[in-house]
Each structure stands twice: as C-alpha cells, then as structure tokens.
Amino acid sequence: MIIGLDVGGTHTDVVLISAQGLVAEAKVPTDFSNLFNTVLDGLNCVTLGINIQKIRRLVLSTTLTTNLVVQNKLPAVGMVTAAGPGIDPALFHPHPHYYKTAGALDHRGREIEPLDEKRLPEIGLKLKQSGVRYAGVVTKFSVRNPEHEKRMAAALAPFCEHVFMGHQFSGALNFPRRIATTYLNAAVYPSHKQFFEFVQKSLNQQGLGVPIRILKPDGGNMQFDASLDYPAQTILSGPSASVMGALAYAPRGNTSLVIDIGGTTTDMAVLVNGVPLLARSGIEIGPYKTSIRAMLTHSIGVGGDSVVRVQNGAITIGPDRAGCAMAYGGSSPTPTDAFCVLGRADFRADRKRAAEGLAPIAQMLEVPVQEAAERIFRKACVQILEGAQKMVDHINSKPVYTVHEMVEDIQIQPDHILVLGGPAEQFAEKLATLFDGKVATVPHYHVANAIGCALASTTCEVCIYADTARKILTAPSENISKKISPDFSMRDCRDIALRLLREKALRHGAHPDSLEMEIIEQSQFNMIRGFQTIGKNIRVRAQVKPGLIHGYDPKTEKLMRDDL
Amino acid sequence: MLSAKHKTGLVFFPAFDWAISPTHPERQERLLYTQDQVFEEGLFDIEGITEFKPGLVTIEDVQRTHFCVPDPSAVMTESHFISAGGAKTIGTALMEGKIKRGFALVRPPGHHANRVVHGARGFCNVNIEAIMIEHIRHAYGVKRVAIVDTDCHHGDGTQDIYWHDPNTLFISLHQDGRTLYPGSGFLDEMGGPNAIGYTINIPLPPNTSEEGFLYTVKNAVLPIVEEFKPELIINSAGQDNHYSDPITNMNFCAHGYAELTRLLNADIAVLEGGYSIEGALPYVNTGIIMAMAGLDYSHFREPDYDPEKICQRPHVTRQIKETCDAAIALWQQRKVLAGQVRSEKGLSRRTRQIYYDTDGIQEHQTEIVKICGNCAGALLIDSSTNEQAHILAVHIPPDACYECRQQGLKWFEKAGADNFQRIYLQDRTTDRYQIKKQSI
Ligand SMILES: [Zn+2]
Ligand SMILES: [Zn+2]
C-alpha cells in the first residue's frame, strides 16, 4: 500500500492506494502554524483501521521549505565565494554574511588564480562569532573543477554545523543560480531536517517503518536521508504533485496540457508523450533564481475565486482575489458565482447571493444575469487558454544552438487537455467548446495531487564534463574527478553517466527494475590549437525521467505489485 | 537585484555543428567557451536582458542586398540563413521597441561579403549586417545609418555595398592593410562619386592598444558619427583586435572592447571575426554584453591581462593621431571633393579584381554608376569569374531619383541575354528583384 500526501495552500490531501485501488482519501485543513500536526492528521485519516505495517511507500509533498522562503523566515547563512573575472557576485545576492575570497578557475576548470585559503579560517571564526551555523561555498566554474569549493568547505567545517558546496546541486553553468541554490539549501536545511526527523520518528512510533519520501518540483521523489544533501529540492513541489496525478491519464503519443484550476490561480504544465517538460534553468521563488530542477509550469491569476470586473465594457477576471465567492459569503463576484447562477455549484452555495453579486456586472453589460454568468464563464476559459498558448509559444521560442536543431525546429502544440482542481468538471465542459482537441477531467481530480505524490517515481540527474586534452573527467554532483586517457570517447562518457545515474537513483530510493534513464544532452567538440587537434571536449547530461512507478495500472487504478 | 540599465536583446547562435573545415578558425568550437562564460555569468538571467531565438532570413531579404550568383541557395548554407536571421531578429526587436539595444552573437560572419556574391571570401558568404540594415530600411523606413566596423580586418564587403550610398556612413577601424588581409582600407578609399566622404577608413598600425582604439573612437569616429546624425548606429563587432588573437597583430583587450562599446553607444552590434576562442572571446563578449546592458565592467579583465606587455609604443600613438587627423580632414572636405568628382556629369566607371580566398575564386568586375547629386545613383555591374560565371547586375537604390531609376530600367531592358548567363535587376524603389536568363 502507498500513501501520498500533498500539503496545499488551504487543504492537505491524502490518499491510500492498494491492490484494491484508491481505498481511502481525505482532505484536512492546512494549519501553517503547525504543519507537523497537519501531516499527522492527514495520515491518520487514511490509515484508520488499516494495518500500517502493510504500507510500503509514503510520499509527502509539503510547503514547509516553500513557506520559509516566501515568508523570508530563513536563518542566517554564511556565503563565501571565489569568482575571478566577471560580474561582482556580491551584486547577485546582497547578504549580511557574505564574503569573497581570492581564487579563480576558467571555463575548462584550470586555475587562473590560486585560492586564498589563509582568509578562510578568519571568515569561519567571524561566522561562528555571529552565531551563523550553516554556510555555503561557491566558486565560478566549480562544475568544471570542484577543487576550490572542496578546500573552502574543509577550511570552514570546523566553524560550522554544515557547509554546502555549489557543485553538489547541479552540473549547469550559472554562477548566480549556483549561489542562490547553495544559499537556499543551507538556509532550509535545519528546518527541513528537524521537521522530517520528527515526522519519521512519530511514524516509527506508530509502527510505520518505511522511510519517508519527499516530492521534488521535477515530479520525482527522493528518500528523506538523501534529501538532507539537497533540502532545497523540496521547494515548490506542489505543482508537480498535480501534474504527476494527471500523468497516468495522459495519452501516449500526444502533447497534453495539464490545467490545475484553483481558487486564486490556474497552474499549467505540458506533457509530451506522457513525460512532463522540465524548466530550462530551475525554479524561481521570491528573489531567487535557482538551478533546482523543476517542471516547466506557468501560473496565471485566474481561478474560481478571482475577482470579476467590467472594464471599458469588457469582462476581466483576476488576477486578484478578495476572499471567497459571494455564494459562499464573500464580497466580490467571482467565476464561482457564475457557476452558481448557472446551477453548477454544490448545495452549500447561496444562489441568491451569487445572482446579487453578478447583478451589477449584468447591468453594466446590459444583459440578463444568466447571460452575464455565461459570459464570465466563457471569459475565464478564454483567459486560461490564452495563458496556455503563451506558455506553448514560450516553449516553442526556446533558443537552440545548432543548425540541425534550427532546421528540425520541433514545435509542440497540445491536442489534449487534462483538467483538475476544484471546478474541474465545470471548466472541462466549457473548455471543450473552445479548444481544438480533446478535453477531459483527471479522475479523482480533487485528490489527484495526492495520487501524484503516491505514484511518482524517483528522479535524479547527472552531468559529466570530460576534457581529453587535460585528461580529466569530472562529475561534480557525484563527487567524482578522475584521470582519463586521451582516447576517451563520447561512448565512454555516456556509459559512465548512465552508470553514475543508476547508482544515484538507487541511493535516492529508485526501484532497480523500473529505472527510465535517458541522455538528455550530449555534445563533443574537437579542440584545435594551431592546426592540431589537441583533444576533445565532451559534455553529457543524463536523467531519470519523471514518471510513475511501475506496478500501478491506470486503467484499473490498482497496484499490481506485491512489494508495494 | 542586478538589472540592466538599458533593455538589451541578445541572439546567441554559435552554430555548434557548422565549420568551414575541421581545423578552420571558423569551426564548431569557436563560440563554445564564450557560451560557457556567458552562461556561467548568468547574463541571460539579468533583469532587462532577453535572449531571442534567431529567425531565418528569406531569399527576398538576401536579394534586397546582394546579387548571389547564380542564386542565394547556391552560395549560402543553412547557417548563413540563420546568422543573417539572427541579426534581423535583433533589428526587428529594436525597431519594434522590445529592446533599446541588441547584440547578434552569431556565426558565420559577413563583413567581407560584397554586393555581388560568387562564393566565400574572408570566411564570409553574405553580409549579415547589410541584410539586416536593408530589411530595417525596407520594413521601417529608416534612412540614415552609420556602420562602425571594429573588426581587425578591413570591412571591405560592407564598404563595397555602401560605396555609393550617401545615406550610409561606413567607418572601418582595422589593422593597416599593408600588414593584413584583405589588404585594403586605406584613407583614400572614400566612397564613390555620389557618396564621397561617407566611407571612412582608419587604418591602425600593428600593436595598437586600448589607448589607441579609444583615442580613435573619441577623436575620429564619434565626431564624424555625431555630425552625420544617423537614425541607427550599427557596430560590426569583430574581436580579432585582441592581444591573443592568432591571426592578427593588435593589442586590444576585453576591458577596452567594453569601453569602446559604451562610447560608441551603438543600437545594434553584430559579431564579426575573433579567433582567440579561449583567451579572448569569452571575455570580450561578456564585456560587450555588460557594456551594452549598462552593467559595471570596470574591474573586468582577462585572466592573463598584463598592461605592461601590451603597452602602446610612442611611435604607434603618433601614427594613430596622424591617421585620425587625416580622416577628420577628409570628412570635412567631403563637400569640396564631391563638387570635384561630380563636375563631370555622366557615368563613372571602376574595374576591379576580387579574390575569394576562402573559395579560391577570382572575380573580374566592372562597375558603372550614374553620377548624381540627388541619389545614390543607378549602378551597373558586369562580373565574371575564372569559373566561367558571367553576369550583369543592375541596382536601383531605394531613394533613386527619376533619371537614375529610368537609367537602371533601361540598362536592364537593353542588356542582351546572349552575352550573360544572367541579368539581374534589383529595383529598391519597388522592392523588385528580377532575373533574365540566357536561353540555352
Ligand atoms: Zn576579422
Ligand atoms: Zn539619381
């Protein structure tokens, strides 16, 4: 049996899936002041009367770290950088405990300025005296040569509880994002560790012994112990939970748009042949642009509770929200009131109040209230589809760097929409009349996010850089730097990448039989100096694709594997 | 948060799968380390800097500028359509107000490509700046354009295309043609009779450093550009003046390039040459982008930068000053000179040999322009090569006066198709391109 739990902005959704299918589901209110209780309450709701020894898998998506970042409740973190030529890193991230030390590497990882190690103990002492317990060290081009970062971390270790190094998190070249990513990992580490240790301990006490898994924004999960090395990979996992919940129902061979309609916003993602598209660089949250792997999502300010207005004779929806719909006691007309007037709301809704709310709008449009409701509904759908098209255009205008890709010019155009979220059914019906393709609601759309958590498989990524002129290979995030022979080839590099990826995935909790690995980037350049080829410059990036665990049958919605 | 002072657009197209030949300077690897540096600096993430995907230029775009023999697809590869397309994308974004300035960081380059194209010369097939400018003129009605070519090699192709056009100011700074390919670009190359003075060549001595380049920009380029009052300034931003460039002999540096970019304040920069792919390009390109976006580059230096090593010698400084003074003097005399060369009405003729070093083609060209005080003049080109090509081309400029347009049309109509494989008409007044073919 599997439990999936997704902490959302207002509700926390929980499901229990077994060989009999979706056997229990629950919604509990989210209490941000006590997330721990929220999580335990949610779990208790679905485990009532169940032999919890039979639970083999438990996946949580929480807003713990997201909230810390958004509410700026992060502890003091010491950041030390070494940069060399370029933009002054202090400009990227104004920060009270920021230090810069001399030392620089170039684009091939060659040292162009020695690291000033003498300064580091002095910095460490200052951090310690200021009560800073966590630190991050980042150098430019550390993904080509992590040596300086390692030495910096070692020098600071005696003064700090935990030092994070930039090269651990991503093989991508982007120094400012590496700084932000390292900072966030160090900053959320203590809360993340404390929270999940606590959850794990209480579950163990209840007899639930399986290691907790945590959902990531790329739609995969990792086991709690692995997450201690990458705590910031738990930020903004919410949207990916919904997308993973829809994924089981996305037709293969198609391009599907997943639309999650909430109260305030509508979130969208794209699945190509059943696999979510990932963001080019990484999540962006508050002032931080990071290299944290994430699904490509787009959010627009249109939801069931968005404020409806008439401006210059036309209906506008959102992007703001002023409490709930009038039908539920709110003070501003919303799309939910339009559903209500059209007889599409639940029994708790006050249809009279909804009609009163829409009356001024109908008056301005000089149409009956019923007609105004119809137009509001239509407008909300149009805005959602326009938002989706904007996202698709953005994906299609992604720059490419080879003639081949320019000529091939792969363009996506969704031909299938999967709708989930509270008003999924009402919207799906209307969207179907406006969209040139199939529109369907996701089964169990009100808890699809929790199902997504439950069924998401483990994902990870590995980057390798090899330079046969320098006879070195480095897989920075795997802590591997080694000598290679001058005849080292792309094939060798791919083999190593897939081997390291497999090892990492298993370490993070993947099932060895259901690893879907792929090489997502590879390039090889002959390095010519004068008219001589001095070597090859090889770059390979491999990933475990986000997807669902093997053994779940989306048709019967049952688990088909004994070990689950 | 770091943000750009000026909305800056970039097209980055390194053509990682295209080379002239495997060990040619113009090969796959050329912009690899530039990409590494630009990505690692996180430049595309900075608020106010936008990366655009390049579009492709159309055949019509190419034929608005060039006479390709026999046609564009014969002399261009896909990568040329993309690199010219990248420049056009930046031009369009600028004209539509999406950006305040832009940089097309693309390859292959274009400034050695003439109006008539039989193949590749100086690593260039088509002139990507000229294609962009002529598109902008056609689509947005821009008239006066200044091009400042800061590549180490003389921008002879751009010079050829704008030789007769008084609405285009072309200024080239380059290593003295006696010491470097293509061997042209002397002070006395000043433009045809209808545009005399609007081509300005400033040949600089070998070993010119930051001091000399910035002196030239401040004391010659900027005063001339200011007086010309262009609607647009385009920088052909070659980076082969760098002290580490393997095929030239100059001593310019990344900080200097950034400073030059700031001073010049061009609306659009288009990458040209630059072949020190590890020691220069990553730093020069980063410096140029920082300067365009208005970011602080004051501490930006190459790792091996050593001011003593590239210090400018006094005799070099003297020579630069003399050349700048001479260039300014010629500019100031342009009206007098125009009076002299235009005193004889009628036609002006020049005959040239043009060598295509990259493709090994020898072209023989006779060019006739109608002398005119009112427009760039009707232009007739008879071009033949050692590869048995022989064509006739008629160019009617966008602002052609009535007489020049009639002259151009008459040339085209009267030309006997038996004497040439093809006869081309490029009538820019109606944006028409027409070909008469030899009947076999
Ligand atoms: Zn050049
Ligand atoms: Zn005329």
Side-chain angles (χ1 to χ4, degrees):
Chain A
M1 286 194 289
I2 305 179
I3 292 179
L5 180 145
D6 178 37
V7 178
T10 43
H11 293 115
T12 292
D13 298 316
V14 205
V15 294
L16 178 72
I17 300 171
S18 77
Q20 277 75 50
L22 177 62
V23 289
E25 56 178 84
K27 240 181 213 315
V28 296
T30 300
D31 177 3
F32 285 111
S33 63
N34 198 338
L35 267 187
F36 177 72
N37 276 354
T38 302
V39 169
L40 288 196
D41 282 354
L43 293 176
N44 286 335
C45 283
V46 295
T47 50
L48 217 65
I50 297 276
N51 177 3
I52 56 172
Q53 309 274 325
K54 285 194 177 160
I55 291 165
R56 298 275 182 272
R57 192 176 174 92
L58 169 61
V59 191
L60 308 180
S61 165
T62 78
T63 48
L64 175 80
T65 51
T66 311
N67 289 341
L68 291 175
V69 180
V70 172
Q71 295 163 7
N72 203 10
K73 287 185 180 155
L74 301 170
V77 169
M79 289 299 293
V80 189
T81 65
I87 299 167
D88 181 355
L91 295 171
F92 297 125
H93 189 208
H95 194 267
H97 302 284
Y98 170 81
Y99 298 91
K100 195 162 82 174
T101 183
L105 306 166
D106 77 355
H107 49 268
R108 284 172 65 196
R110 295 170 295 199
E111 184 175 87
I112 52 181
E113 186 187 8
L115 183 68
D116 181 6
E117 273 166 297
K118 278 198 256 77
R119 258 208 86 200
L120 292 164
E122 179 194 318
I123 295 171
L125 197 62
K126 272 192 200 153
L127 291 177
K128 193 172 179 168
Q129 284 164 351
S130 329
V132 178
R133 292 156 64 194
Y134 307 95
V137 292
V138 187
T139 79
K140 200 173 274 185
F141 288 116
S142 63
V143 294
R144 294 287 156 81
N145 177 2
E147 195 48 41
H148 282 186
E149 279 184 4
K150 285 184 184 167
R151 275 157 49 194
M152 288 160 79
L156 292 183
F159 305 95
C160 300
E161 207 158 296
H162 203 315
V163 183
F164 288 88
M165 296 178 282
H167 69 268
Q168 295 170 312
F169 304 110
S170 164
L173 285 174
N174 194 318
F175 183 49
R177 281 185 187 257
R178 192 176 308 125
I179 295 173
T181 305
T182 310
Y183 167 75
L184 287 180
N185 273 287
V188 302
Y189 170 76
S191 304
H192 172 84
K193 181 168 185 275
Q194 189 195 22
F195 181 82
F196 284 101
E197 273 176 357
F198 207 37
V199 173
Q200 183 86 69
K201 209 169 117 197
S202 3
L203 294 179
N204 289 352
Q205 278 165 2
Q206 293 181 25
L208 184 60
V210 292
I212 297 174
R213 291 165 185 268
I214 299 161
L215 195 73
K216 304 187 297 168
D218 70 352
N221 70 51
M222 58 182 166
Q223 274 174 357
F224 169 59
D225 52 356
S227 78
L228 292 176
D229 291 331
Y230 317 93
Q233 277 193 7
T234 61
I235 296 174
L236 286 182
S237 60
S240 77
S242 302
V243 176
M244 295 314 287
L247 193 127
Y249 308 98
R252 295 282 152 155
N254 289 50
T255 299
S256 310
L257 193 64
V258 179
I259 299 184
D260 183 1
I261 304 167
T264 319
T265 61
T266 293
D267 296 320
M268 313 177 195
V270 174
L271 305 175
V272 174
N273 198 14
V275 180
L277 290 184
L278 295 184
R280 206 175 159 203
S281 310
I283 62 167
E284 295 183 14
I285 180 167
Y288 308 105
K289 290 185 175 181
T290 75
S291 300
I292 298 168
R293 235 171 88 99
M295 274 183 199
L296 183 66
T297 54
H298 181 58
S299 184
I300 59 168
V302 175
D305 299 335
S306 298
V307 177
V308 177
R309 296 184 180 88
V310 176
Q311 286 171 329
N312 306 322
I315 296 169
T316 63
I317 297 171
D320 53 330
R321 170 188 176 160
C324 60
M326 292 188 68
Y328 295 96
S331 57
S332 303
T334 66
T336 302
D337 294 311
F339 303 146
C340 186
V341 166
L342 296 170
R344 304 295 311 271
D346 62 33
F347 65 93
R348 292 177 297 126
D350 182 341
R351 197 162 166 182
K352 195 162 149 279
R353 277 216 69 203
E356 280 167 22
L358 295 195
I361 292 189
Q363 214 164 22
M364 277 191 270
L365 296 171
E366 296 170 5
V367 297
V369 169
Q370 190 84 8
E371 169 69 16
E374 192 59 51
R375 288 197 195 175
I376 290 166
F377 192 13
R378 187 188 159 84
K379 176 69 183 176
C381 290
V382 167
Q383 274 182 241
I384 289 171
L385 289 175
E386 282 170 358
Q389 191 56 47
K390 207 170 153 194
M391 178 187 194
V392 168
D393 291 345
H394 179 76
I395 293 167
N396 286 335
S397 63
K398 180 181 94 105
V400 296
Y401 302 121
T402 60
V403 176
H404 171 78
E405 288 168 286
M406 270 299 285
V407 172
E408 210 176 37
D409 193 27
I410 297 172
Q411 300 279 303
I412 60 150
Q413 190 55 50
D415 47 14
H416 196 100
I417 293 182
L418 292 160
V419 194
L420 42 79
E425 255 167 56
Q426 294 99 317
F427 271 97
E429 226 172 83
K430 192 76 183 171
L431 287 168
T433 65
L434 298 166
F435 175 72
D436 188 19
K438 197 168 175 274
V439 181
T441 53
V442 174
H444 314 290
Y445 56 81
H446 49 286
V447 287
N449 46 338
I451 297 177
C453 286
L455 301 176
S457 61
T458 302
T459 56
C460 57
E461 183 180 295
V462 161
C463 285
I464 300 204
Y465 173 80
D467 181 334
T468 67
R470 298 189 59 220
K471 301 192 197 68
I472 52 134
L473 172 145
T474 167
S477 59
E478 308 321 296
N479 198 17
I480 285 177
S481 302
K482 61 176 207 166
K483 285 260 164 214
I484 49 171
S485 74
D487 59 359
F488 185 83
S489 69
M490 172 58 90
R491 204 190 157 139
D492 299 330
C493 199
R494 289 171 55 111
D495 289 347
I496 292 178
L498 292 174
R499 180 169 57 76
L500 292 175
L501 184 67
R502 188 183 169 81
E503 289 167 9
K504 183 177 191 174
L506 297 181
R507 259 196 333 269
H508 288 196
H511 194 283
D513 300 339
S514 57
L515 270 184
E516 290 205 34
M517 303 192 292
E518 64 176 345
I519 304 280
I520 43 177
E521 276 173 30
Q522 57 172 333
S523 60
Q524 171 175 300
F525 294 85
N526 285 325
M527 293 188 281
I528 318 284
R529 298 298 173 266
F531 285 91
Q532 299 298 314
T533 304
I534 57 159
K536 289 190 291 276
N537 195 300
I538 305 175
R539 295 116 191 252
V540 169
R541 193 150 78 97
Q543 72 160 349
V544 177
K545 274 193 231 181
L548 302 185
I549 50 168
H550 286 202
Y552 174 76
D553 179 3
K555 284 214 183 69
T556 60
E557 299 179 351
K558 287 174 181 165
L559 286 181
M560 312 293 281
R561 234 169 60 199
D562 295 337
D563 59 336
L564 287 175
Chain B
M1 259 294 120
L2 194 60
S3 69
K5 276 205 191 76
H6 325 284
K7 266 196 158 186
T8 302
L10 295 170
V11 163
F12 181 59
F13 188 72
F16 282 147
D17 50 353
W18 184 87
I20 288 179
S21 72
T23 57
H24 195 281
E26 201 51 77
R27 64 177 181 275
Q28 294 90 343
E29 190 193 2
R30 184 174 160 223
L31 293 178
L32 179 64
Y33 312 106
T34 292
Q35 184 195 53
D36 285 351
Q37 191 78 33
V38 168
F39 280 14
E40 179 70 351
E41 293 294 339
L43 290 173
F44 294 154
D45 275 335
I46 292 173
E47 190 67 39
I49 297 184
T50 313
E51 184 186 12
F52 294 89
K53 182 183 186 178
L56 299 172
V57 284
T58 61
I59 299 280
E60 289 74 34
D61 289 328
V62 177
Q63 289 176 340
R64 197 173 288 125
T65 298
H66 288 292
F67 295 107
C68 294
V69 184
D71 55 49
S73 52
V75 296
M76 293 170 77
T77 65
E78 283 144 346
S79 59
H80 298 102
F81 282 94
I82 305 167
S83 81
K88 181 181 165 185
T89 299
I90 286 293
T92 305
L94 182 91
M95 295 312 296
E96 296 190 343
K98 287 182 194 155
I99 54 173
K100 281 273 170 244
R101 54 196 64 183
F103 184 14
L105 233 171
V106 296
R107 57 179 287 266
H111 76 148
H112 294 303
N114 291 345
R115 185 185 295 279
V116 175
V117 178
H118 288 280
R121 52 190 306 272
F123 318 164
C124 303
N125 294 51
V126 290
N127 198 302
I128 62 177
E129 287 95 327
I131 291 173
M132 170 188 77
I133 291 167
E134 295 316 307
H135 167 73
I136 289 176
R137 282 188 161 140
H138 169 67
Y140 302 98
V142 168
K143 199 169 166 191
R144 293 173 78 74
V145 177
I147 306 168
V148 181
D149 187 322
T150 50
D151 188 276
C152 190
H153 301 90
H154 174 224
D156 55 347
T158 313
Q159 170 169 308
D160 173 73
I161 292 170
Y162 293 109
W163 186 249
H164 299 292
D165 181 7
N167 287 319
T168 306
L169 172 69
F170 175 67
I171 305 179
S172 180
L173 322 185
H174 46 263
Q175 185 177 327
D176 190 328
R178 287 168 299 188
T179 59
L180 190 70
Y181 177 88
S184 55
F186 300 101
L187 278 162
D188 60 356
E189 295 166 38
M190 300 167 61
N194 299 338
I196 192 144
Y198 292 93
T199 291
I200 292 160
N201 281 296
I202 308 181
L204 299 170
N207 301 318
T208 299
S209 291
E210 177 166 358
E211 182 194 342
F213 277 96
L214 299 183
Y215 177 89
T216 306
V217 169
K218 283 181 200 159
N219 296 285
V221 177
L222 288 177
I224 295 172
V225 169
E226 209 161 288
E227 209 181 321
F228 178 72
K229 294 195 175 53
E231 292 158 70
L232 278 181
I233 303 176
I234 313 297
N235 179 205
S236 292
Q239 310 182 348
D240 36 12
N241 287 301
H242 195 265
Y243 60 80
S244 65
D245 198 275
I247 63 176
T248 61
N249 316 91
M250 299 300 237
N251 280 335
F252 206 21
C253 59
H255 179 267
Y257 265 106
E259 189 68 8
L260 180 148
T261 304
R262 184 184 67 81
L263 288 171
L264 200 56
N265 200 14
D267 299 285
I268 296 174
V270 177
L271 178 67
E272 280 296 335
Y275 302 98
S276 170
I277 63 173
E278 284 205 82
L281 266 55
Y283 307 106
V284 175
N285 280 309
T286 303
I288 290 178
I289 296 169
M290 287 168 80
M292 281 204 127
L295 301 170
D296 176 24
Y297 54 82
S298 51
H299 303 291
F300 191 62
R301 299 278 187 278
E302 302 83 341
D304 64 350
Y305 178 78
D306 178 357
E308 305 236 320
K309 248 186 176 164
I310 53 170
C311 175
Q312 194 168 291
R313 306 273 295 278
H315 73 275
V316 171
T317 305
R318 237 183 355 260
Q319 219 174 318
I320 293 168
K321 191 174 177 308
E322 282 165 16
T323 307
C324 287
D325 290 347
I328 287 278
L330 289 172
W331 166 251
Q332 283 162 348
Q333 288 165 33
R334 68 193 181 282
K335 290 192 179 121
V336 179
L337 292 168
Q340 287 167 10
V341 293
R342 285 183 216 150
S343 61
E344 282 182 46
K345 292 288 170 204
L347 302 174
S348 160
R349 172 192 299 261
R350 68 169 172 161
T351 297
R352 291 183 296 159
Q353 303 291 333
I354 298 158
Y355 183 57
Y356 291 66
D357 60 311
T358 309
D359 279 350
I361 300 167
Q362 186 70 46
E363 178 190 2
H364 178 80
Q365 209 186 76
T366 301
E367 193 191 74
I368 292 169
V369 68
K370 182 172 158 57
I371 295 177
C372 181
N374 301 318
C375 76
L379 180 67
L380 179 71
I381 305 165
D382 178 328
S383 161
S384 57
T385 70
N386 60 341
E387 296 186 342
Q388 314 329 317
H390 190 194
I391 60 107
L392 189 73
V394 178
H395 166 74
I396 301 173
D399 66 333
C401 66
Y402 179 77
E403 285 82 24
C404 286
R405 176 147 196 269
Q406 292 313 111
Q407 174 70 76
L409 294 175
K410 201 165 97 194
W411 276 335
F412 183 66
E413 278 155 28
K414 288 245 169 114
D418 292 343
N419 302 328
F420 305 95
Q421 287 145 356
R422 286 178 186 223
I423 300 163
Y424 302 84
L425 173 67
Q426 188 181 58
D427 180 359
R428 291 293 308 281
T429 61
T430 55
D431 201 40
R432 179 162 69 115
Y433 192 84
Q434 204 181 324
I435 303 170
K436 284 202 284 191
K437 284 184 201 167
Q438 196 169 55
S439 46
I440 305 157

